[in-house]
Amino acid sequence: MTTVLTPASPLTAADRCDRCGAQAYLRVVLASGGELLFCAHHGRKFEPELKKIAVEIQDESGRLGGTAATATDDER
Ligand SMILES: [Zn+2]
């Protein structure tokens, strides 16, 4: 079972990718109770595998596009 949640506790600059040490944008909660952090790059790369083992994936990679989801473009 995999659920993509709205972040309860946002990832911060202090959260680092377990693979490369870049800022983490994905938090993966494992069925075992463990937790993994990935940058957007590695989050995407391992996503198919992660979906098999995760009970929860918190994906904040949308924030990478700056504030894309907010209004600025519409205001022009
Ligand atoms: Zn990484």
Side-chain angles (χ1 to χ4, degrees):
M1 184 170 110
T2 302
T3 319
V4 178
L5 293 180
T6 313
S9 54
L11 295 164
T12 70
D15 292 310
R16 294 287 155 179
C17 175
D18 288 337
R19 290 288 165 153
C20 69
Q23 185 173 347
Y25 283 93
L26 280 93
R27 173 186 285 138
V28 179
V29 180
L30 304 175
S32 62
E35 199 176 88
L36 297 172
L37 295 172
F38 291 104
C39 66
H41 170 80
H42 284 114
R44 258 191 286 277
K45 184 175 176 186
F46 294 120
E47 189 179 27
E49 293 303 313
L50 295 174
K51 281 187 168 171
K52 292 179 199 166
I53 57 171
V55 291
E56 220 178 276
I57 297 177
Q58 178 180 330
D59 183 351
E60 294 189 23
S61 59
R63 292 193 298 146
L64 274 178
T67 49
T70 54
T72 41
D73 277 344
D74 292 327
E75 286 171 351
R76 275 183 222 149

